[in-house]
Amino acid sequence: MIINLSSSSLSQFINTKSHISRFQFQLKNKNHFSKSLSFHSKNPFLHEKNKTPLSKRRNLRSFAIPGLDFGGNFESTQSVLEAVGVLTAIIVVHESGHFLAAYLQGIHVSKFAVGFGPILAKFNAKNVEYSLRAFPLGGFVGFPDNDPDSDIPPDDKNLLKNRPIFDRMIVISAGVIANIMFAYVIIFTQVLLVGLPVQESFPGVLVPDVRPFSAASRDGLLPGDVILGVNGIDFAKNGPSLVSEVVDVIKKSPKRNVLLKIGRGEGSVDVRVTPDVNSDGTGRIGVQLSPNFKISKVQPKNILEAFSFTGREFWGLTYNVLDSLKQTFMNFSQTAGKVSGPVAIIAVGAEVAKSNVDGLYQFAAVLNINLAVINLLPLPALDGGTLALILVEAARGGKKLPLEVEQGIMSSGIMFVIIVGLFLLVRDTLNLDFIRDLL
């Protein structure tokens, strides 16, 4: 599972500072559809109304921004379990799409697994093994096509590999379709039960919390302050990107004074902060930062308006996912360092649950859309890679590529996902605040 953490996301989930854009589940074996979930979102669609009062504040928690100093990502076991539950539900929906598309066409299925690794529990029904595995951050549907232990003759017409191209394309794309439908249902449920988020933007960058004994606390920053400018330059715009600008200045100024123009109450004051030095040589001041906005809810007046709100939100979220993914590929050298794995996404999900349970709706919807988009990419070990091979087969007049060529392509993709996933798992774990404190 891979995620890309970027400075302008999750604000709509928890009304806080947040760095999230993309992640990916693992993993695809020769006879399995296992999932890669990619989360990529700049700032999912919210209706925005610009306002200016500095006196308006939000009593909300904030998520950690890399390079600054925060703690407590896993303070609540319940929040962590809620985040894992959201991911698991998304996996089950995705795999169920593959499973049902095959089952309803009479195609042989041998396994349905939630998670990967050692089997914790399993049962068999109608020649299908259903299992729950140790790590609930992936899943797969298994087919007996190349299983040497299978009693099904290799020329059976109901083996997936022997079915017509269109039948196979339905099975492979069904997981993506299931996640798109699930995202729409989640948003529709949110609109009916909670309402449509409406964002009101305010000037500056909010400081929801200041860590005790930090540079910010020492130099006079207070929770609820609003940073209106840095080093004598006032911010000329509103929006989540201001958080990144402040972070960049702080990270580049270890042991050097940074002049912050602070909105406090009805007035403003200048505060000079001297960032401490991180182990990597960058600066940190020990605060939480958030885009300075407020989110309220608009309830639909009738069912038609509910569908209208849902469609607007769904397409807005989808647009931002696609746009963020495009920006990642176009600026990969700058964004590659923000790619993170399952530990990061659980930390984000837990923080969403702790800060604003309502945010779990959009959190889950965005994850579904990201999973759908990423799995359509024509890369080995993703659904899109398998679809690409089928399209090549169709272009060759129904003649498949040699088996060893297909297996070589898929194996290289699987190996890449494993290596990257393990690297990110270790790196993300070491980047958790409580782990960093221990080290």
Side-chain angles (χ1 to χ4, degrees):
M1 177 171 74
I2 301 169
I3 180 173
N4 177 8
L5 297 177
S6 117
S7 62
S8 53
S9 38
L10 273 199
S11 54
Q12 77 285 7
F13 307 136
I14 50 179
N15 301 352
T16 65
K17 70 177 184 344
S18 148
H19 279 45
I20 186 173
S21 288
R22 166 186 142 174
F23 65 66
Q24 198 173 65
F25 281 95
Q26 85 168 44
L27 178 60
K28 186 176 285 234
N29 286 332
K30 190 162 50 175
N31 299 320
H32 294 161
F33 291 130
S34 81
K35 282 313 118 223
S36 296
L37 176 55
S38 172
F39 187 38
H40 194 101
S41 172
K42 269 185 176 178
N43 186 21
F45 181 83
L46 291 168
H47 306 284
E48 182 168 338
K49 298 187 289 186
N50 289 320
K51 305 270 181 164
T52 55
L54 291 176
S55 58
K56 297 201 175 186
R57 293 291 184 269
R58 302 176 305 286
N59 184 20
L60 298 167
R61 296 177 58 88
S62 291
F63 183 67
I65 292 184
L68 299 184
D69 197 14
F70 317 104
N73 288 340
F74 286 91
E75 291 173 351
S76 170
T77 301
Q78 179 181 352
S79 298
V80 175
L81 293 177
E82 288 173 352
V84 173
V86 169
L87 297 181
T88 302
I90 291 170
I91 296 166
V92 170
V93 167
H94 188 102
E95 301 305 336
S96 295
H98 290 309
F99 178 84
L100 290 174
Y103 182 81
L104 294 176
Q105 294 186 87
I107 296 172
H108 295 301
V109 180
S110 57
K111 295 180 180 180
F112 183 102
V114 176
F116 57 90
I119 295 176
L120 300 179
K122 68 176 182 178
F123 68 92
N124 288 276
K126 296 184 178 180
N127 298 318
V128 179
E129 177 190 276
Y130 299 87
S131 62
L132 177 65
R133 303 192 176 221
F135 305 105
L137 299 173
F140 64 85
V141 174
F143 298 87
D145 294 37
N146 298 316
D147 185 354
D149 298 326
S150 175
D151 297 330
I152 301 173
D155 60 349
D156 189 303
K157 67 177 182 179
N158 288 324
L159 287 174
L160 180 64
K161 65 181 181 180
N162 296 332
R163 293 301 287 263
I165 288 175
F166 185 71
D167 291 356
R168 284 181 278 148
M169 291 183 68
I170 290 175
V171 173
I172 294 165
S173 60
V176 168
I177 295 171
N179 281 120
I180 291 173
M181 294 173 63
F182 192 33
Y184 188 91
V185 170
I186 289 170
I187 297 171
F188 185 72
T189 303
Q190 177 194 19
V191 168
L192 288 180
L193 299 183
V194 180
L196 185 70
V198 177
Q199 176 176 310
E200 300 178 24
S201 295
F202 304 95
V205 174
L206 182 66
V207 182
D209 194 21
V210 177
R211 189 167 184 174
F213 310 110
S214 65
S217 175
R218 181 177 65 239
D219 294 332
L221 279 180
L222 300 175
D225 282 348
V226 175
I227 301 174
L228 300 175
V230 177
N231 290 332
I233 301 175
D234 291 349
F235 296 135
K237 59 182 180 180
N238 301 337
S241 63
L242 293 182
V243 176
S244 294
E245 294 180 22
V246 175
V247 171
D248 289 341
V249 171
I250 292 170
K251 292 178 71 173
K252 293 175 181 177
S253 306
K255 296 297 183 182
R256 299 200 302 268
N257 281 341
V258 176
L259 177 62
L260 301 178
K261 182 179 179 180
I262 300 298
R264 183 177 293 168
E266 298 299 324
S268 65
V269 296
D270 289 337
V271 176
R272 293 187 179 274
V273 179
T274 304
D276 295 327
V277 183
N278 275 317
S279 58
D280 60 0
T282 59
R284 70 176 183 185
I285 63 174
V287 297
Q288 296 177 336
L289 296 179
S290 164
N292 192 19
F293 63 79
K294 177 183 177 181
I295 293 180
S296 57
K297 303 294 194 307
V298 176
Q299 294 284 349
K301 298 182 178 67
N302 52 57
I303 193 67
L304 292 179
E305 192 170 55
F307 279 110
S308 175
F309 285 1
T310 300
R312 189 186 311 170
E313 188 76 355
F314 176 81
W315 289 114
L317 290 172
T318 302
Y319 172 82
N320 280 282
V321 168
L322 293 172
D323 184 63
S324 297
L325 185 62
K326 180 186 74 174
Q327 295 301 323
T328 294
F329 282 114
M330 292 177 63
N331 303 285
F332 188 75
S333 61
Q334 300 175 5
T335 59
K338 297 174 182 177
V339 176
S340 302
V343 172
I345 192 55
I346 292 177
V348 171
E351 199 65 32
V352 171
K354 286 190 291 184
S355 302
N356 179 6
V357 175
D358 293 348
L360 283 175
Y361 287 103
Q362 286 201 339
F363 181 72
V366 170
L367 297 191
N368 273 284
I369 295 170
N370 272 272
L371 174 57
V373 170
I374 288 297
N375 268 282
L376 282 177
L377 296 177
L379 301 175
L382 301 182
D383 292 342
T386 305
L387 285 171
L389 291 175
I390 294 178
L391 291 176
V392 169
E393 176 187 337
R396 287 161 52 91
K399 183 179 179 181
K400 295 183 179 181
L401 291 173
L403 181 60
E404 59 272 14
V405 174
E406 286 195 10
Q407 290 182 343
I409 292 173
M410 300 306 293
S411 296
S412 64
I414 292 169
M415 185 58 63
F416 175 76
V417 170
I418 291 174
I419 293 173
V420 173
L422 289 175
F423 168 76
L424 295 176
L425 182 66
V426 173
R427 193 194 68 181
D428 291 344
T429 301
L430 293 177
N431 281 337
L432 290 173
D433 289 332
F434 75 93
I435 296 293
R436 292 169 64 184
D437 290 342
L438 291 175
L439 298 177

